[in-house]
Amino acid sequence: MKGAPLLVTLLLAALVAGASLYYRQHQPESSSQPTEEQASPAAFVATHLRIALREPAPLQAVSPDTLRDRISANLDARFEPGGLAHRTRAFELLTLLPSGQNLHGQLVAMQAAGSRAWFDDLQGKLLVAENFAPLTRPDDRATLIRLRTRELLHREGFTLPKNVSDDEWIAYRALHGALADALALADQDNTAPPLPSSEETEREAILLSFPHYIHNLALSHELIGIPYLKQRRKAAPIPWIDLLRSAPGHTHGLLHTSPDPLPDLPTTGSTLLEESLGAWSTQLLLERHSDYELAEELTPYWRGDLYRLFSNGRGDPLVWQCLWDNAQSATRAADILRNALSLDGSVPGSSERLFHVTSRDSLLIVLNCSDLATLATLQK
């Protein structure tokens, strides 16, 4: 996204400044000199979340290989074994990802690369590097603030079941990651933030090497979570817990749009995956083939989408239907995808596939098939 680093920096600064002012105005008089316990990351987070402090969970020191294995197991449990392979194929056929990608491996790398700690949101476990030292390394203390934020939210019931949609998973990660970042920065108070560590520099380099979708997904807490929290805190500085309880569960809520009922998808063949990109991933798809300003301009007119990847004995066709507020928006989105195909000179998926983009009134339809008969059936 163009201008994202500067925009995120300004949003974070404004959010933290507002939060710091609010809490300075609402601190009890006896808290002017914090005790050693109050200065601990767990106590700091509990105070800012305005919840009772309980015994914090232990930090589990693991090797880098073990950390990657645990992240991989978490993804398999979240999306079920093989689920990310189907998503890889669907995203390839939709052109959200370039050909030849491995979504499972990229999501593992996205969370593990250059990371010294990770929160397992299914088991509530806190995993850290074997040399994790929050008492002596400022960046590790900031990381521990983030971990404790996720842990305490998890204990308070802010969990995500395994069977939620992909878009709900993205919204959950964006909001919780944004709040964790806000509290980590609030912990620094007026001190200058520490210089990036070698691990953080390595992580930034790795993120820049990812495809457009994965790179933005890694930064979703900064790109859509922080702006949402900033807006809510500016409107009414309510406690963080109350804010999260009323926060939307989908990215369309974070982007201030809403869905309408969608027409049914074709039901022929055997379903491999049926999912929604959601408002934000749809924006990333259009952004990949145009630019940030145009994609952002269209996003408020998104009204819902659903895709289906299936098998019919002749291949793995995909159909995606995306509803827009008006016919003009649907046409503009279709033109972006159609022009991207003609400029690229190849059909997504393989050189032998048939890619068809059209709009009917306010409905955008994308078809990607391996044979003419299936394409003709889906076009009816």
Side-chain angles (χ1 to χ4, degrees):
M1 290 186 171
K2 293 185 179 180
L6 177 59
L7 174 61
V8 169
T9 300
L10 294 174
L11 289 172
L12 282 169
L15 179 62
V16 172
S20 298
L21 176 61
Y22 174 75
Y23 283 109
R24 282 198 298 270
Q25 293 173 342
H26 291 77
Q27 286 293 327
E29 293 181 3
S30 60
S31 66
S32 59
Q33 188 64 37
T35 65
E36 181 178 352
E37 181 183 79
Q38 289 172 326
S40 73
F44 177 86
V45 172
T47 299
H48 278 66
L49 292 182
R50 300 178 71 176
I51 60 177
L53 175 63
R54 292 184 287 177
E55 183 67 24
L59 303 179
Q60 300 182 9
V62 298
S63 68
D65 288 343
T66 299
L67 178 64
R68 293 179 67 90
D69 289 344
R70 293 286 293 272
I71 293 174
S72 178
N74 175 280
L75 290 170
D76 284 338
R78 170 70 64 193
F79 296 100
E80 300 183 349
L84 288 175
H86 289 321
R87 285 167 175 81
T88 300
R89 183 58 170 165
F91 291 175
E92 176 184 52
L93 298 180
L94 279 169
T95 74
L96 182 62
L97 283 178
S99 299
Q101 304 299 304
N102 181 334
L103 188 57
H104 185 281
Q106 288 172 339
L107 291 180
V108 171
M110 181 187 83
Q111 298 179 75
S115 297
R116 292 178 54 77
W118 174 71
F119 178 71
D120 187 332
D121 64 337
L122 290 179
Q123 300 185 21
K125 305 294 185 182
L126 287 72
L127 309 183
V128 299
E130 294 170 320
N131 62 344
F132 193 71
L135 295 178
T136 57
R137 290 184 52 152
D139 55 310
D140 279 356
R141 176 177 171 87
T143 297
L144 187 53
I145 292 286
R146 295 184 182 96
L147 285 180
R148 293 302 184 199
T149 302
R150 301 293 298 274
E151 174 199 356
L152 292 184
L153 290 176
H154 187 273
R155 287 186 173 188
E156 289 296 308
F158 291 92
T159 58
L160 197 65
K162 296 179 182 179
N163 59 345
V164 300
S165 69
D166 294 357
D167 187 66
E168 289 175 285
W169 178 70
I170 294 173
Y172 170 88
R173 283 177 48 84
L175 279 174
H176 286 224
L179 179 53
D181 265 7
L183 295 191
L185 286 174
D187 178 58
Q188 296 169 8
D189 198 17
N190 294 322
T191 61
L195 294 174
S197 64
S198 59
E199 291 87 358
E200 290 171 331
T201 302
E202 173 194 354
R203 175 171 174 77
E204 288 301 318
I206 292 173
L207 291 182
L208 286 172
S209 70
F210 284 147
H212 182 78
Y213 172 71
I214 303 298
H215 178 243
N216 281 275
L217 181 60
L219 300 177
S220 60
H221 58 293
E222 300 178 355
L223 298 173
I224 56 175
I226 286 291
Y228 175 82
L229 291 183
K230 176 181 178 292
Q231 185 180 60
R232 287 289 304 274
R233 296 290 293 175
K234 182 179 180 180
I238 61 176
W240 291 118
I241 291 294
D242 293 339
L243 191 157
L244 283 187
R245 286 196 180 102
S246 60
H250 293 81
T251 64
H252 61 252
L254 300 180
L255 298 173
H256 311 293
T257 186
S258 59
D260 290 331
L262 285 162
D264 294 333
L265 289 173
T267 58
T268 58
S270 177
T271 299
L272 300 175
L273 176 65
E274 186 169 302
E275 256 290 353
S276 167
L277 287 185
W280 192 56
S281 292
T282 299
Q283 177 176 319
L284 294 180
L285 170 61
L286 299 179
E287 184 179 321
R288 179 178 179 237
H289 297 306
S290 56
D291 58 57
Y292 171 65
E293 287 81 5
L294 178 55
E296 186 182 44
E297 181 183 337
L298 281 171
T299 298
Y301 301 101
W302 175 96
R303 290 295 179 267
D305 79 280
L306 195 63
Y307 69 83
R308 180 171 180 256
L309 176 70
F310 61 98
S311 173
N312 62 359
R314 296 187 296 273
D316 53 351
L318 179 138
V319 54
W320 179 50
Q321 296 183 163
C322 185
L323 186 64
W324 299 85
D325 179 67
N326 52 67
Q328 181 183 11
S329 297
T331 300
R332 292 177 68 191
D335 287 343
I336 290 174
L337 297 179
R338 194 180 296 111
N339 290 340
L341 175 64
S342 61
L343 289 173
D344 181 66
S346 62
V347 176
S350 79
S351 60
E352 300 175 354
R353 296 189 65 94
L354 305 167
F355 192 69
H356 183 74
V357 181
T358 189
S359 59
R360 300 173 185 170
D361 295 325
S362 58
L363 186 66
L364 165 65
I365 304 171
V366 172
L367 306 174
N368 193 324
C369 306
S370 56
D371 65 288
L372 280 170
T374 301
L375 180 65
T377 298
L378 293 176
Q379 286 180 306
K380 293 179 180 179

